[in-house]
Amino acid sequence: MSTIYDKLNDKQKQAVFTTEGSVLLLAGAGSGKTGVLMHRIAYLIEEKHVDPYNIMAITFTNKAAKEMKERIGKLIGEEGNFVWVMTFHSSCVRFLRRFIDKIGFDNSFTIYDSDDQKTLMKKIFKEHDINTKVYKERAVLNIISSCKNELMSPSEYMKSAVDSYEKGVARLYEIYQSTLKKNNALDFDDLICRSVELFEKCPEVLDYYQDRFRYIMVDEYQDTNTAQFRLIYLLAQKYGNICVVGDDDQSIYKFRGANIENILSFEDRFENVKVIKLEQNYRSTGNILDAANAVIKNNRGRKDKSLWTEGESGENIELRQFQTASEEADNIIKDIRDRARDNFRDFAVLYRTNAQSRLLEERCVTLGIPYQLVGGVNFYQRKEIKDVLAYLKTIANGNDDIALLRIINVPKRGIGATTIAKVSEYANENNISLYDAMSISEMAGVGKASDKIKSFITMIEEFREKVAQKANIANLIEELLDETGYIESLYDEGEIEGESRKENIDELINKSGEYEDGELSLFLEDVSLVADIDRMDENADRITLMTLHGAKGLEFDTVYLAGMEEGLFPSAMSSNSREDLEEERRLAYVGITRAKKNLILTSAKQRMVNGETRYSLMSRFVSEIPRELLNKHVLDTEKRYTERSGSFGGELPWETKTPVNNNFEKTLSFGKQFKVEKAQSLDYAVGDTVKHIKFGVGKVLEIVDGDRDFEVKVNFEKFGIKKMYAGFAKLVKI
């Protein structure tokens, strides 16, 4: 008798049937890990008779969670609806929305996005007269985020501070947190941290969720940070049935706080761990997998595994170098036009930095090629959308000063900056919210503006009453727009601009139609947690332009990896440490394994960066791919491409206009080119002002005499704190 498990390979079956205790599934790219998770859930329910209510599956994106829910439903029907399938952040919102009052917040808390955080920090800087030449809002917020990822409180960061700058950041961190609490607001990092705090301070709440989630599965485990690890660790302690799925070779989010040690040391943190490797790939051709394996094996900080396929070897990887970045972009888009034949959805161009998208977009527009840019301006970050959401947030949570400040005079209603400053001062003096201060505005000395403020407060209160009566959200938004005259104000910027913004608001109203009457808080939660990847339309017949970081989890028939140049990919800053360089290599591995049938690597000898022409060598990652897997292309005098197949031999793979060393190894060898002799001493010291060719002017905070080179920490006026090796940085004292 056939079953739903018959089509699984032996390793996949082992992963599905190993249900008890701690399990680590090392799932290589394209190895069918999502299918394994879904079959594992089905097996628990149908064969082990586990109540779906007791199963938790956690992932990182709404897109992945939605796919999981759909696939579970197809496997086991309606029972799948009772399995907890959510992202980390959505799960924590549910925990906190129910129990956050136990740790001193109101359950109607607001979630701040990155723009809200920056607005709040700017307000703190102004109120506390912070020196903006020393402290940068974004730099301070980045440090705070890093602290939260590591579950480090303001007081703990203060204890670890090594200089006056870090002590200043610690004080700002403390003020930031207290202001968030005053506003009854949480930022994204708080959703995890406060959930951990809730579980650690309230054993009865933890016990409730431990009993609820007796079988826990975590997807993309290599992307978890310390706080997320702690959250999962606490939930799994009672029953010990924890299964994590991940690939250390695809750990590429260190800049967001991801800690690769979570997956590398999983066997040390949990008892009697069973390790199962999923190495058979169902996505890419053999040559693409061989290239990926060859590149990633150069990393030392990884668990040994190798992708393989029963499928065909496929075409060789194409390798192209251009004189300029403009020629590179032109060739890529024309090549897609010639290959696609009106089937553009199968093509993607991936790149290291967002700045690379401009030339590609321009060529798409010029040539009339349909495209979607993933990672551009988020729909929910557009001004008109932020304005409408700020109104809704104010209605839902009167303590949210940031939302209120955004819309108090939008559209203009005669409540100017002077009035707002007086009310803010009154609110601070009396330790109340801005909304509460406005509700008693006659006490704030605002004079003639008092009537206008009262009118605004009355309007908000009327809408709150409608929410309490479970009003339809779409109708609520439309009434709000009509009451405030917001739509009319959009056309003050011009008819075309106004119409475009109105269309965006119409789309928001369409989105709100997905929610039941009275679910305003749920609507606000969901839109605050949407990522760029969730908005991508995989069915649209357009080529996809996106960064390599954004591409993880996706696949395309044909992939172009653009900008394969030293200093760009790997980035120049990654040369400072082995760990950073290995993360860049993992990013290359992710890019390579997005391709199913065709992979094209491109680079430019010269590229404009910050208004200057940069000359670059081919990326070292190209040299790590075996020559027999590559087809080289040579630029002829008419700038058309001709293909040369076969091995490179000793011949340089690209035509050039200037004499070069005609030895492949030497051209793509980096040992000598990146070797830096350590200086005996430096001509600058802690406290000196120095200049960097890229980051500009800054103050030296710390110098550490390392084995390889002096490690220098500098606070740059425009870029915040950077750590670098002196030999690479070439800092000049001024």
Side-chain angles (χ1 to χ4, degrees):
M1 180 178 175
S2 62
T3 70
I4 60 174
Y5 313 106
D6 292 343
K7 292 184 178 180
L8 301 176
N9 65 43
D10 290 343
K11 287 293 184 180
Q12 289 175 331
K13 287 179 182 177
Q14 184 184 356
V16 168
F17 302 151
T18 306
T19 60
E20 308 304 305
S22 305
V23 181
L24 170 61
L25 300 184
L26 291 173
S31 61
K33 66 180 179 64
T34 303
V36 168
L37 277 179
M38 299 309 95
H39 281 81
R40 197 172 191 272
I41 291 172
Y43 183 77
L44 282 168
I45 295 170
E46 294 191 326
E47 305 299 329
K48 304 289 287 187
H49 306 296
V50 175
D51 190 328
Y53 183 80
N54 296 133
I55 300 173
M56 178 190 219
I58 295 293
T59 187
F60 277 83
T61 68
N62 293 318
K63 176 178 178 290
K66 182 180 179 182
E67 180 186 354
M68 282 188 182
K69 289 178 182 177
E70 290 174 350
R71 293 179 68 170
I72 292 172
K74 289 178 181 178
L75 282 176
I76 61 175
E78 292 185 4
E79 279 191 295
N81 294 330
F82 298 98
V83 178
W84 182 290
V85 184
M86 292 188 192
T87 65
F88 268 102
H89 290 95
S90 294
S91 296
C92 288
V93 169
R94 297 297 184 272
F95 303 153
L96 297 171
R97 194 65 77 188
R98 184 168 182 179
F99 292 112
I100 198 172
D101 57 312
K102 293 181 178 294
I103 54 173
F105 284 77
D106 189 276
N107 297 84
S108 63
F109 61 84
T110 298
I111 302 170
Y112 279 2
D113 63 17
S114 56
D115 278 358
D116 297 327
Q117 290 177 261
K118 190 173 180 181
T119 300
L120 176 57
M121 189 58 73
K122 186 179 293 185
K123 183 172 181 282
I124 291 170
F125 273 32
K126 184 176 181 180
E127 290 177 352
H128 294 269
D129 197 24
I130 302 300
N131 186 347
T132 55
K133 289 186 177 180
V134 177
Y135 297 95
K136 304 297 177 185
E137 294 152 10
R138 189 173 300 278
V140 171
L141 286 169
N142 286 340
I143 293 173
I144 291 173
S145 179
S146 297
C147 287
K148 291 184 180 182
N149 289 336
E150 296 299 320
L151 294 174
M152 182 180 288
S153 68
S155 60
E156 289 170 329
Y157 184 68
M158 177 65 82
K159 291 177 183 177
S160 70
V162 297
D163 53 35
S164 59
Y165 178 85
E166 290 187 353
K167 290 178 181 177
V169 172
R171 285 190 288 271
L172 287 169
Y173 181 11
E174 184 176 15
I175 296 168
Y176 174 79
Q177 286 302 99
S178 63
T179 309
L180 278 176
K181 191 166 186 179
K182 175 176 172 287
N183 289 0
N184 195 36
L186 306 178
D187 62 24
F188 281 178
D189 296 318
D190 278 330
L191 294 176
I192 310 294
C193 294
R194 294 297 187 183
S195 294
V196 172
E197 179 186 351
L198 173 66
F199 289 161
E200 291 182 335
K201 288 184 176 179
C202 306
E204 73 282 5
V205 176
L206 176 60
D207 188 64
Y208 169 80
Y209 282 113
Q210 285 177 337
D211 275 331
R212 166 85 191 264
F213 305 128
R214 302 187 181 200
Y215 289 85
I216 299 172
M217 279 161 271
V218 185
D219 194 15
E220 303 289 2
Y221 187 69
Q222 75 282 344
D223 295 335
T224 55
N225 58 36
T226 300
Q228 288 163 335
F229 162 77
R230 181 65 181 167
L231 182 81
I232 293 299
Y233 182 84
L234 289 169
L235 286 171
Q237 281 304 289
K238 190 168 186 177
Y239 291 94
N241 297 319
I242 172 76
C243 173
V244 300
V245 186
D247 182 5
D248 51 301
D249 290 334
Q250 295 187 75
S251 179
I252 59 173
Y253 295 124
K254 181 181 177 183
F255 70 98
R256 293 181 186 168
N259 185 353
I260 193 174
E261 285 301 315
N262 286 347
I263 191 167
L264 294 179
S265 62
F266 183 81
E267 294 153 272
D268 299 326
R269 300 185 181 189
F270 291 87
E271 297 180 357
N272 303 317
V273 175
K274 304 175 185 70
V275 180
I276 302 169
K277 296 181 183 180
L278 304 180
E279 298 170 290
Q280 184 173 355
N281 179 280
Y282 294 92
R283 175 190 298 158
S284 305
T285 63
N287 285 342
I288 291 173
L289 297 180
D290 289 345
N293 289 329
V295 170
I296 201 64
K297 74 177 184 182
N298 290 281
N299 275 4
R300 288 189 289 175
R302 64 184 294 263
K303 291 180 177 291
D304 183 52
K305 55 191 170 301
S306 184
L307 297 176
W308 61 276
T309 180
E310 290 182 343
E312 59 184 17
S313 296
E315 298 293 328
N316 271 14
I317 295 160
E318 297 182 31
L319 187 57
R320 305 174 182 176
Q321 188 182 47
F322 301 85
Q323 191 66 34
T324 67
S326 295
E327 291 177 3
E328 177 193 42
D330 186 64
N331 178 269
I332 289 173
I333 303 305
K334 284 182 177 178
D335 195 49
I336 293 175
R337 178 193 62 187
D338 296 341
R339 288 174 182 245
R341 302 185 185 280
D342 297 323
N343 187 25
F344 295 103
R345 69 173 61 87
D346 294 333
F347 295 79
V349 187
L350 310 180
Y351 35 81
R352 180 63 182 83
T353 66
N354 277 308
Q356 291 170 256
S357 69
R358 182 183 64 83
L359 290 172
L360 293 162
E361 279 194 272
E362 288 176 357
R363 297 312 296 152
C364 285
V365 172
T366 301
L367 296 171
I369 304 300
Y371 73 96
Q372 61 177 330
L373 178 67
V374 181
V377 178
N378 188 309
F379 175 80
Y380 294 104
Q381 299 301 316
R382 298 180 187 277
K383 177 187 180 300
E384 62 276 14
I385 302 302
K386 293 278 288 183
D387 287 346
V388 175
L389 292 177
Y391 268 107
L392 296 177
K393 288 179 180 179
T394 301
I395 292 168
N397 172 22
N399 291 327
D400 188 349
D401 287 358
I402 299 304
L404 180 58
L405 284 170
R406 183 179 183 92
I407 48 89
I408 184 60
N409 202 39
V410 176
K412 293 186 185 303
R413 52 176 59 91
I415 304 175
T418 302
T419 298
I420 294 171
K422 289 180 179 178
V423 178
S424 296
E425 183 179 358
Y426 181 83
N428 290 335
E429 288 175 353
N430 292 274
N431 196 30
I432 59 177
S433 71
L434 197 60
Y435 187 87
D436 286 343
M438 287 182 172
S439 298
I440 47 176
S441 56
E442 67 275 2
M443 296 177 63
V446 295
K448 296 179 180 179
S450 177
D451 289 341
K452 294 170 183 175
I453 291 176
K454 287 179 180 178
S455 177
F456 174 81
I457 295 295
T458 299
M459 178 187 69
I460 297 298
E461 290 299 325
E462 288 174 352
F463 279 108
R464 283 187 176 173
E465 182 62 28
K466 292 177 181 180
V467 172
Q469 295 173 2
K470 300 191 180 300
N472 176 273
I473 302 173
N475 292 341
L476 189 77
I477 296 174
E478 289 176 339
E479 288 182 37
L480 184 64
L481 295 170
D482 183 59
E483 180 78 18
T484 60
Y486 185 82
I487 295 297
E488 290 80 357
S489 73
L490 294 178
Y491 289 91
D492 294 341
E493 304 176 36
E495 185 173 347
I496 295 177
E497 180 70 14
E499 191 63 30
S500 175
R501 293 187 183 278
K502 181 180 180 299
E503 288 173 357
N504 288 333
I505 292 175
D506 288 342
E507 181 60 29
L508 180 69
I509 293 173
N510 291 340
K511 169 68 176 177
S512 71
E514 300 173 10
Y515 295 80
E516 298 292 333
D517 294 352
E519 290 187 338
L520 179 59
S521 293
L522 180 60
F523 171 67
L524 291 173
E525 285 169 17
D526 288 350
V527 298
S528 69
L529 298 175
V530 171
D532 286 334
I533 191 65
D534 298 322
R535 299 181 297 114
M536 179 181 166
D537 186 354
E538 295 184 64
N539 296 316
D541 191 27
R542 296 174 287 179
I543 67 172
T544 299
L545 308 178
M546 68 191 313
T547 65
L548 284 152
H549 281 101
K552 192 163 77 69
L554 302 178
E555 58 183 43
F556 304 89
D557 281 356
T558 301
V559 169
Y560 297 77
L561 295 188
M564 298 294 291
E565 301 144 28
E566 284 295 316
L568 182 59
F569 189 37
S571 68
M573 297 305 294
S574 68
S575 300
N576 289 346
S577 74
R578 178 180 66 83
E579 290 79 10
D580 290 345
L581 181 58
E582 291 201 350
E583 175 131 341
E584 291 283 294
R585 186 174 282 110
R586 292 193 292 271
L587 192 56
Y589 174 83
V590 166
I592 292 170
T593 53
R594 297 313 93 194
K596 296 162 68 176
K597 299 177 180 178
N598 304 294
L599 177 63
I600 299 97
L601 310 177
T602 69
S603 73
K605 295 177 185 176
Q606 62 186 64
R607 185 181 299 272
M608 291 293 291
V609 179
N610 296 329
E612 298 179 354
T613 300
R614 175 189 291 172
Y615 296 88
S616 303
L617 294 170
M618 180 68 74
S619 169
R620 70 188 72 189
F621 301 146
V622 175
S623 70
E624 294 170 354
I625 298 174
R627 299 180 195 176
E628 62 270 17
L629 298 178
L630 295 167
N631 284 346
K632 57 191 175 185
H633 292 255
V634 179
L635 185 63
D636 64 24
T637 55
E638 295 180 355
K639 290 188 170 58
R640 289 195 299 266
Y641 275 81
T642 57
E643 183 174 322
R644 295 182 183 178
S645 58
S647 65
F648 285 108
E651 182 186 3
L652 186 72
W654 304 283
E655 297 280 0
T656 60
K657 294 183 179 179
T658 55
V660 297
N661 188 328
N662 289 331
N663 183 286
F664 187 80
E665 283 86 352
K666 290 183 180 178
T667 304
L668 297 181
S669 169
F670 303 95
K672 293 183 178 179
Q673 294 168 17
F674 284 88
K675 184 177 180 181
V676 175
E677 294 292 336
K678 180 179 178 180
Q680 294 296 316
S681 61
L682 301 176
D683 59 0
Y684 50 84
V686 173
D688 286 344
T689 301
V690 294
K691 186 174 183 180
H692 184 273
I693 189 171
K694 177 179 179 181
F695 301 122
V697 176
K699 185 177 181 180
V700 179
L701 300 179
E702 183 182 56
I703 298 175
V704 177
D705 189 355
D707 294 335
R708 175 182 173 186
D709 196 359
F710 289 100
E711 297 178 17
V712 186
K713 182 194 287 186
V714 181
N715 181 24
F716 291 102
E717 292 179 359
K718 293 184 178 180
F719 293 89
I721 293 179
K722 302 287 183 183
K723 287 184 179 180
M724 57 195 73
Y725 286 118
F728 285 106
K730 302 188 185 305
L731 298 169
V732 178
K733 181 178 178 181
I734 58 176

